[in-house]
Amino acid sequence: MSLDQGRAQAFCKRFGLKLPILLAPMAGACPPSLSIAVMNAGSLGACGALLMRPSEIAAWADEVRAKSNGPFQFNLWTPDPPPQRDRAHEDEVRAFLERFGPAVAANAGDVTPLDFAAQCEALLAIEPAVVSSIMGLYPPDFVDKLKKSGIAWFATASTVAEARAAEDAGADVVVAQGMEAGGHRGCFDAAQAERQLVGLFALIPAVVDAVKVPVVATGGIADARGVAAALLLGASAAQIGTALLRCPEAKLHPAWADALARTAPEERVFSGRAGRSIATKYVRTATAADAPPPAPYPVQRGLTAAMRSEALCSGGATSPNYTSAA
Ligand SMILES: Cc1cc2nc3c(=O)[nH]c(=O)nc-3n(C[C@H](O)[C@H](O)[C@H](O)COP(=O)(O)O)c2cc1C
């Protein structure tokens, strides 16, 4: 069996790339500098825009376009229904979190998600080469607008069924995300996430056989061996997240970057909410059987905000904008 370079070449030609490699969209960890470096090397830049207001999205695109002519993707999570609030449970989580960091304000969970429709309009105005989704499918009217604007839709799928659904809904490319992936997993139904874990080696060929659109592989790819394996298994390109976070252009807080360098694959854990992060003391305790389950997204993000800020100041390893337990 040999590497079908034609498939990767066709993908590169279609999206204006020199290399079949994509920077993974990572909310809170995609500064313009990282995309500029990636794009100037001939790969696809990326911005995880989940936590960004329309003005911040526009500023990101302006900065990147001022310093590179390459293509990039913007990414949004498809919104969950408003979270069911449970004050008694949130109090339990607050008390639990206070064992690891500062006091958690009584209103810390009152987090209002950003306006998804306004974020979508911001993306349409920028007209990036690619808009990608995770956690579900985009609403049909947004998909129509993407198509009319000539913007490709890359849909993240963590199972064969999700990949088929994405293709049926009009996705131009399926991003097959193996369970090795850092950050949150893109399963459409969070309740099924722990039951439907599929490793990238098994997922790529199964998705490639199930859909006609090109497949991008992501999850645990960290060097040329991983890229070659993904292409051999039928992917048209590889998307890399964690491995690029230690580049100077990622401007990661040294505490987080140093922790990544020390982390072996088996030292990361699955949280109760389909995510994968460094197994800090907090993550290990929070995923123990006797820990309170995390509050729904984005309430948990609000509850853990103070702890994450303090962890950074004191040299902990938790990301400033990201928590495995969200
Ligand atoms: C810190 C971090 C944040 C992430 N945020 C997002 C996000 O906002 N949207 C998304 O589609 N994927 C997100 N991901 C997942 C990546 O896009 C990608 O699937 C994953 O990084 C691939 O696995 P790897 O980290 O082993 O390369 C995130 C990953 C990390 C590590």
Side-chain angles (χ1 to χ4, degrees):
M1 191 167 197
S2 66
L3 201 60
D4 176 1
Q5 292 189 345
R7 189 172 46 232
Q9 279 166 359
F11 184 90
C12 288
K13 190 166 173 212
R14 180 169 166 192
F15 294 104
L17 306 173
K18 290 194 194 119
L19 301 167
I21 294 176
L22 286 57
L23 169 63
M26 294 180 280
C30 274
S33 47
L34 183 56
S35 280
I36 291 163
V38 161
M39 290 155 61
N40 287 340
S43 302
L44 191 79
C47 177
L50 169 75
L51 305 169
M52 294 165 74
R53 295 173 197 288
S55 58
E56 294 167 317
I57 290 173
W60 188 98
D62 285 347
E63 185 172 344
V64 165
R65 281 181 169 154
K67 294 180 184 152
S68 178
N69 295 323
F72 55 80
Q73 64 165 306
F74 268 106
N75 169 275
L76 290 174
W77 293 20
T78 58
D80 283 335
Q84 297 282 334
R85 299 297 296 270
D86 176 344
R87 298 285 172 182
H89 174 234
E90 286 174 27
D91 286 346
E92 198 188 343
V93 174
R94 284 174 49 226
F96 178 78
L97 290 168
E98 286 174 3
R99 285 167 44 193
F100 298 89
V104 182
N107 64 351
D110 299 345
V111 184
T112 315
L114 295 177
D115 182 343
F116 176 71
Q119 289 176 313
C120 290
E121 286 307 315
L123 301 195
L124 290 167
I126 290 164
E127 295 189 3
V130 174
V131 165
S132 66
S133 58
I134 188 160
M135 311 292 177
L137 302 174
Y138 279 142
D141 61 328
F142 183 48
V143 174
D144 283 349
K145 287 180 184 169
L146 291 174
K147 304 241 170 229
K148 283 189 184 120
S149 302
I151 302 169
W153 173 27
F154 285 20
T156 307
S158 59
T159 64
V160 171
E162 290 173 1
R164 286 206 178 100
E167 182 178 50
D168 289 347
D172 298 289
V173 168
V174 166
V175 180
Q177 189 194 47
M179 68 184 215
E180 303 91 334
H184 284 105
R185 286 185 53 245
C187 30
F188 293 4
D189 179 357
Q192 297 299 317
E194 299 298 317
R195 251 181 12 92
Q196 295 183 335
L197 294 169
V198 188
L200 193 63
F201 247 54
L203 188 63
I204 301 172
V207 170
V208 166
D209 288 351
V211 300
K212 295 191 183 62
V213 295
V215 174
V216 169
T218 198
I221 301 173
D223 59 20
R225 294 169 295 184
V227 175
L231 298 183
L232 190 64
L233 288 169
S236 295
Q239 181 171 274
I240 299 177
T242 306
L244 290 173
L245 285 177
R246 297 197 71 241
C247 300
E249 295 86 352
K251 297 185 177 161
L252 212 61
H253 190 286
W256 188 9
D258 291 352
L260 284 174
R262 293 192 304 268
T263 303
E266 68 275 20
E267 287 170 352
R268 302 200 283 178
V269 298
F270 297 99
S271 80
R273 175 58 177 83
R276 197 154 188 255
S277 79
I278 297 169
T280 58
K281 185 175 163 218
Y282 161 69
V283 170
R284 277 195 295 272
T285 316
T287 51
D290 60 344
Y297 180 87
V299 178
Q300 183 80 4
R301 181 184 296 284
L303 294 174
T304 54
M307 180 189 76
R308 284 178 285 128
S309 307
E310 192 183 84
L312 279 183
C313 297
S314 62
T318 313
S319 134
N321 291 316
Y322 205 75
T323 171
S324 66

